[in-house]
């Protein structure tokens, strides 16, 4: 793969992922031996600059969430490296790992499942501060109230329990909890996919306002391209554990190069009943990550595949202006 660490303006990335691999074992038989491997993430590389939002999109099961959780070491990788602010976090253990996790947080897709139903949400928000021994009890309480206000909730909400809130409010609580430690980097794992459209826009605006105020850097995982277009600076597209395209938001939506990206773009609704977008309908089903096809993983469904596509894997390379694509048809 082309080295992506060379940046415009000479600015080095805040976080850099190189050749990240995560295989999950499939066990069977009386002795529960490993009989196969689910290739969830296979040789993924990209970087995120300080203060920007990178949107990560693709079909369900393509490995988006696994990438985000592996970057934070919520899931241990099979191989590869993740460098945060110059430090390889995959080499850290114990106290060093705990210290760096202050600066890397996550907003989960299901806020209700990630909140303790027996704990008032004020205590949930302050839990990270308590674990890292930041401030006095009074200072932690003041930080909790400040974070609640930042996400549009009231002071008295700190005494309520998760079941007393709507889905949108619970997602705001999840954002407040991630923000309490004043991190530099946040993985937002489909934070609006379970919300009503009207609530989605409110949560997205909160995320953008907080980014401006605190200088946050986001990896925004989603499958809704309209949402990704609204919030992202750059967009990466995954298919079956592989990165197939990555470019600046406007460049990608104006000029998608990979056939899979073009098919995704063709499915975006046009907000004008008099206009129709030409749909690209993909044939067949997504192959199993237990036994992915050789060569380009998209070739069994690609409408413009070449002979070389089922024989050799295309390199993920820069074709100009930091537009990366893995496709043999792109010169």
């Amino acid at each position: 793969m082309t080295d992506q660490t060379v940046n415009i303006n000479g600015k080095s990335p805040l976080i850099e992922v190189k050749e990240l691999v995560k295989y999950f074992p499939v066990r069977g038989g009386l002795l529960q031996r490993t009989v196969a491997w689910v290739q969830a993430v296979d040789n993924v590389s990209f970087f995120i600059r300080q203060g920007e939002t990178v949107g990560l999109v693709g079909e369900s099961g393509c490995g988006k969430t696994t990438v985000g959780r592996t970057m934070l070491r919520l899931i241990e990788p099979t191989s590869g490296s993740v460098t945060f602010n110059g430090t390889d976090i995959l080499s850290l253990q114990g106290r060093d790992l705990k210290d760096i996790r202050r600066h890397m947080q996550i907003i989960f897709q299901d806020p209700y499942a990630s909140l303790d139903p027996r704990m008032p949400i004020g205590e949930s928000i302050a839990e990270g501060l308590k674990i890292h021994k930041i401030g006095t009890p009074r200072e932690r309480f003041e930080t909790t109230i400040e974070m609640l206000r930042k996400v549009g909730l009231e002071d008295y909400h700190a005494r309520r329990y998760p079941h007393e809130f709507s889905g949108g409010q619970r997602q705001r609580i999840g954002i407040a909890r991630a923000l309490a430690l004043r991190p530099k980097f946040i993985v937002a794992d489909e934070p609006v996919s379970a919300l009503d459209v009207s609530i989605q826009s409110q949560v997205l605006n909160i995320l953008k306002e907080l980014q401006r105020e605190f200088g946050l850097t986001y990896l925004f995982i989603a499958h809704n391209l309209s949402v990704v277009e609204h919030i992202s600076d750059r967009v990466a597209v995954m298919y079956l554990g592989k990165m197939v395209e990555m470019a600046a938001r406007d460049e990608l939506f104006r000029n998608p190069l990979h056939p899979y990206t073009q098919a995704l773009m063709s499915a975006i609704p046009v907000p004008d009943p008099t206009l129709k977008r030409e749909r690209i309908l993909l044939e067949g089903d997504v192959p199993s990550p237990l036994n992915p096809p050789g060569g380009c993983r998209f070739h069994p469904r690609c409408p413009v595949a070449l002979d070389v596509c089922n024989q050799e894997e295309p390199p993920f390379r820069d074709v100009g202006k930091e537009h990366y694509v893995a496709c043999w048809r792109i010169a």
Side-chain angles (χ1 to χ4, degrees):
M1 174 191 157
T2 303
D3 186 2
Q4 293 193 54
T5 61
V6 180
N7 287 269
I8 57 173
N9 303 324
K11 185 177 180 181
S12 60
L14 174 70
I15 190 161
E16 185 175 7
V17 177
K18 283 189 176 181
E19 300 177 355
L20 186 65
V21 175
K22 179 57 185 178
Y23 290 177
F24 292 98
V26 177
R27 305 186 189 279
L30 291 175
L31 300 179
Q32 289 295 293
R33 290 193 176 102
T34 299
V35 296
W37 294 91
V38 176
Q39 301 179 29
V41 177
D42 195 1
N43 198 30
V44 166
S45 300
F46 63 99
F47 66 88
I48 308 176
R49 299 187 183 94
Q50 171 69 45
E52 80 169 345
T53 300
V54 169
L56 186 57
V57 301
E59 292 173 289
S60 296
C62 72
K64 306 184 299 295
T65 294
T66 303
V67 167
R69 296 193 178 198
T70 305
M71 288 170 68
L72 302 181
R73 283 188 66 180
L74 297 178
I75 299 174
E76 290 295 332
T78 302
S79 64
S81 68
V82 179
T83 304
F84 174 76
N85 213 15
T87 301
D88 181 6
I89 69 167
L90 302 186
S91 65
L92 300 179
Q93 299 294 333
R95 181 73 186 188
D96 293 334
L97 178 59
K98 180 180 177 181
D99 288 344
I100 206 166
R101 277 182 164 158
R102 285 184 54 185
H103 307 293
M104 306 173 71
Q105 295 292 307
I106 185 169
I107 301 168
F108 292 98
Q109 178 179 358
D110 184 353
Y112 190 67
S114 64
L115 294 171
D116 188 337
R118 300 164 298 178
M119 184 183 291
I121 63 103
E123 292 184 24
S124 291
I125 294 171
E127 190 173 23
L129 298 169
K130 186 176 181 180
I131 289 171
H132 288 277
K133 298 181 173 61
I134 298 173
T136 64
R138 180 63 189 177
E139 289 170 339
R140 291 197 286 267
F141 175 76
E142 291 173 352
T143 299
T144 298
I145 296 302
E146 179 188 1
M147 293 303 105
L148 284 173
R149 293 172 179 173
K150 292 289 185 186
V151 298
L153 296 176
E154 302 295 336
D155 298 6
Y156 63 85
H157 285 141
R159 298 186 296 274
R160 293 188 175 181
Y161 290 84
H163 71 272
E164 299 180 77
F165 295 92
S166 67
Q169 288 175 320
R170 285 196 288 262
Q171 196 57 279
R172 291 170 189 245
I173 294 165
I175 295 171
R177 184 175 59 176
L179 198 64
L181 287 167
R182 301 294 173 94
K184 296 179 181 178
F185 173 63
I186 293 179
V187 173
D189 184 11
E190 302 203 33
V192 298
S193 62
L195 306 179
D196 294 337
V197 174
S198 59
I199 305 301
Q200 286 184 12
S201 61
Q202 295 175 18
V203 172
L204 291 174
N205 289 334
I206 287 172
L207 290 172
K208 294 183 77 171
E209 289 169 8
L210 293 173
Q211 183 176 40
R212 285 191 294 267
E213 182 174 352
F214 295 102
L216 297 170
T217 302
Y218 292 138
L219 175 67
F220 190 91
I221 299 169
H223 57 261
N224 187 325
L225 286 168
S226 299
V227 169
V228 169
E229 184 179 16
H230 175 72
I231 198 170
S232 301
D233 299 302
R234 289 187 298 135
V235 179
V237 182
M238 284 188 68
Y239 180 81
L240 203 61
K242 291 279 189 180
M243 195 82 80
V244 298
E245 189 164 4
M246 185 173 191
R249 175 194 59 197
D250 294 341
E251 167 68 13
L252 189 78
F253 279 81
R254 181 180 66 251
N255 183 33
L257 298 178
H258 197 280
Y260 177 64
T261 311
Q262 293 170 356
L264 290 181
M265 297 295 181
S266 74
I268 301 175
V270 179
D272 186 340
T274 64
L275 297 177
K276 284 190 176 181
R277 191 191 300 269
E278 184 178 350
R279 285 293 309 274
I280 300 174
L281 299 177
L282 300 177
E283 297 182 358
D285 298 323
V286 180
S288 170
L290 280 168
N291 186 27
C296 173
R297 294 192 174 182
F298 184 60
H299 85 263
R301 304 176 70 199
C302 182
V304 292
L306 303 172
D307 290 340
V308 70
C309 296
N310 65 355
Q311 300 169 5
E312 297 181 41
E313 182 181 333
F316 189 57
R317 56 195 174 87
D318 189 353
V319 295
K321 298 181 180 179
E322 291 193 328
H323 192 151
Y324 297 87
V325 64
C327 182
W328 287 117
R329 297 188 68 92
I330 308 301

